[in-house]
Amino acid sequence: MHRARVAVIVGLALSVAGCSGGSDKSSHPSSQTSRTSTTPSAPTSTTVGDLSNPAVLRRVSWQNGDLRAPYHPVLFLGGDQVGEQVTLDMCGATFPSEVRRRARHQVGVERAQKRLSDISIEAVLYDFPAGAGQAMREIRAAKASCPSDYVNSRVAGVPALRFRFAPAPDSSWPKVDGVDRFAIDATVNDQAGTTKHIDLVYLQRGRLLVAFYSDPQARATALTRSLRAFTRVLAQRMAALPAKVVNNTVEA
């Protein structure tokens, strides 16, 4: 993507699917910032075994060794909220799965209290495995049917944007058993001429969806691995979770 949380340029206000929304998303071009949702849903504090929803989401986010010193993770303002936050927003599409989210956790990267705006991880738990599966179908459909002209975001304050897609970057990447993956290489521009290149990787297992939003410069600056290698690490973290954690169902 809270994004992504989505995921956005605000200056250019990049409204890329999977980038989350809310009051913390920076006005710097290409930031994965928070945005106000038109369809908020209430978080659920369910505990499965010894793992609460927040604990599950933290397990699949940044860990020691992911980032180069002195970069470190920083929670987005509203990053642990579902209501009034957006996760999927791209190509002017609608995402009915947003109302099925039950918990989310979006974490960016900073150095010396300065946010590196072009990289973050957003992890989301849905009501049922079918809810996360629906979100993956919706983001695939949004890309497949993306208009060729400028489109309006459904998020207030985001300008009309035009999306262009390169071939998927993951065609030769190995898969992790049990984890669905959808990777996007996108270039987005507004009518003022601001342009941004960004990679978005969506991973799903059961009711858990993890989105990694980044641009090449941010990865080269802060990440200890390549996009391919780090995507595999995230998928392996998801695969390592107990099945009951990702397959249980949670009512609204």
Side-chain angles (χ1 to χ4, degrees), residues 196-215:
K196 187 63 190 177
H197 173 215
I198 195 162
D199 295 294
L200 306 102
V201 180
Y202 301 89
L203 303 166
Q204 182 239 335
R205 180 184 173 216
R207 66 188 186 100
L208 174 64
L209 183 146
V210 175
F212 178 50
Y213 317 124
S214 64
D215 77 359

Side-chain angles (χ1 to χ4, degrees), residues 90-93 140-149 151 161-165:
M90 185 170 69
C91 291
R140 285 184 164 106
K143 178 181 180 293
S145 61
C146 194
S148 60
D149 205 350
V151 294
L161 300 171
R162 183 172 61 184
F163 294 77
R164 292 289 183 270
F165 301 105

Side-chain angles (χ1 to χ4, degrees), residues 99-112:
V99 299
R100 303 187 68 171
R101 298 170 302 155
R102 295 295 175 262
R104 61 178 289 275
H105 184 67
Q106 186 170 16
V107 185
V109 174
E110 75 173 16
R111 173 183 179 180

Side-chain angles (χ1 to χ4, degrees), residues 119-200:
I119 186 167
S120 71
I121 297 173
E122 182 174 11
V124 182
L125 284 167
Y126 290 75
D127 52 356
F128 303 98
Q134 177 183 340
M136 291 290 279
R137 290 192 302 275
E138 289 171 357
I139 198 65
R140 285 184 164 106
K143 178 181 180 293
S145 61
C146 194
S148 60
D149 205 350
Y150 291 92
V151 294
N152 293 319
S153 171
R154 298 181 183 277
V155 178
V158 175
L161 300 171
R162 183 172 61 184
F163 294 77
R164 292 289 183 270
F165 301 105
D170 65 334
S171 58
S172 64
W173 299 359
K175 296 185 180 298
V176 172
D177 288 346
V179 179
D180 185 20
R181 183 181 71 224
F182 182 52
I184 299 172
D185 181 331
T187 300
V188 185
N189 68 281
D190 67 5
Q191 292 170 305
T194 307
T195 300
K196 187 63 190 177
H197 173 215
I198 195 162
D199 295 294
L200 306 102

Side-chain angles (χ1 to χ4, degrees), residues 3 30 80 114 116 122 156 173 184 198 200 225 242:
R3 159 193 264 16
S30 81
D80 277 340
K114 182 177 181 180
L116 185 63
E122 182 174 11
W173 299 359
I184 299 172
I198 195 162
L200 306 102
R225 302 173 180 89

Side-chain angles (χ1 to χ4, degrees), residues 210-238:
V210 175
F212 178 50
Y213 317 124
S214 64
D215 77 359
Q217 183 176 355
R219 291 196 304 273
T221 299
L223 201 63
T224 59
R225 302 173 180 89
S226 67
L227 178 61
R228 170 176 172 161
F230 189 58
T231 295
R232 183 168 180 82
V233 166
L234 292 175
Q236 289 172 333
R237 288 174 188 166
M238 297 170 70

